[in-house]
Amino acid sequence: MKTLFPLFERVCRYLTGLAFFSIIVAVVIQLVGRNLLDDSPLWTEELSRFGLLFLTAFGLGPSLRTGDLVNVDLFCEGLKGRKPWMLRLVSAIVMALFCLMLLGPSWQFTEIGSIQTSPALGWRMDFVHVSTLIAAISLLAYSLLRIVGMLRGTTDGLPDQAHMENT
């Protein structure tokens, strides 16, 4: 687990960067096409949308770990005693349950995409729809890691970024 999860995180971060790079390329081509040529290629619109989907899918899990997702910690951390810890644990459990509930529908959505193609790029949409499954798996993995860490006492459930700010 200690070697597998850092590898998973590196892959997520690398693919997030690759998705962001694809958005940059698509937008630059759009800008050049609109400003220097008569028109920009239609496929750049689709590529930027698909890049955004994968940017989100691969970035969700690492963002949960670092605290870059939206939190209500102003409310939670203002409570006394063990209540903030309990709320972080309950939040991670609820997130894991939601992700588990989304696995089936995400898989079904991905399968539906196998009979569809994107209009401009002509890509099979299951290759794009799999981003919903990736997002659910990524969030599930990171929320389970938080739950296990909290129950084992190796983490207090605070995002890693919060630890950096407090030191």
Side-chain angles (χ1 to χ4, degrees):
M1 183 85 166
K2 286 185 178 186
T3 57
L4 182 63
F5 206 75
L7 175 65
F8 179 69
E9 182 160 1
R10 273 195 304 267
V11 168
C12 281
R13 289 183 181 279
Y14 174 77
L15 292 173
T16 300
L18 191 62
F20 190 59
F21 180 73
S22 74
I23 294 171
I24 291 170
V25 168
V27 170
V28 167
I29 292 171
Q30 284 176 346
L31 290 172
V32 168
R34 288 181 184 158
N35 293 315
L36 300 179
L37 307 172
D38 290 335
D39 199 12
S40 65
L42 289 175
W43 59 266
T44 58
E45 294 285 337
E46 271 188 9
L47 183 62
S48 60
R49 279 188 220 114
F50 296 163
L52 185 59
L53 287 171
F54 282 99
L55 173 79
T56 303
F58 289 117
L60 276 174
S63 295
L64 176 66
R65 187 175 151 273
T66 61
D68 292 327
L69 291 179
V70 174
N71 285 322
V72 290
D73 51 355
L74 182 65
F75 168 75
C76 295
E77 300 309 316
L79 297 174
K80 303 283 185 224
R82 196 146 166 86
K83 289 178 186 169
W85 185 91
M86 288 298 296
L87 284 174
R88 288 191 298 270
L89 180 63
V90 167
S91 173
I93 291 169
V94 168
M95 187 177 318
L97 290 174
F98 276 134
C99 289
L100 281 172
M101 289 172 31
L102 287 173
L103 288 178
S106 296
W107 180 261
Q108 194 174 24
F109 182 59
T110 301
E111 286 180 327
I112 290 170
S114 67
I115 58 173
Q116 301 171 334
T117 56
S118 64
L121 289 169
W123 293 355
R124 286 180 32 186
M125 288 304 289
D126 54 342
F127 296 133
V128 177
H129 291 175
V130 77
S131 63
T132 61
L133 187 60
I134 292 168
I137 291 170
S138 179
L139 269 179
L140 176 62
Y142 278 89
S143 60
L144 287 175
L145 188 67
R146 181 174 285 179
I147 293 166
V148 169
M150 290 180 75
L151 293 177
R152 290 181 70 201
T154 58
T155 181
D156 57 4
L158 285 170
D160 286 354
Q161 195 165 359
H163 288 293
M164 289 186 281
E165 290 172 0
N166 292 336
T167 56

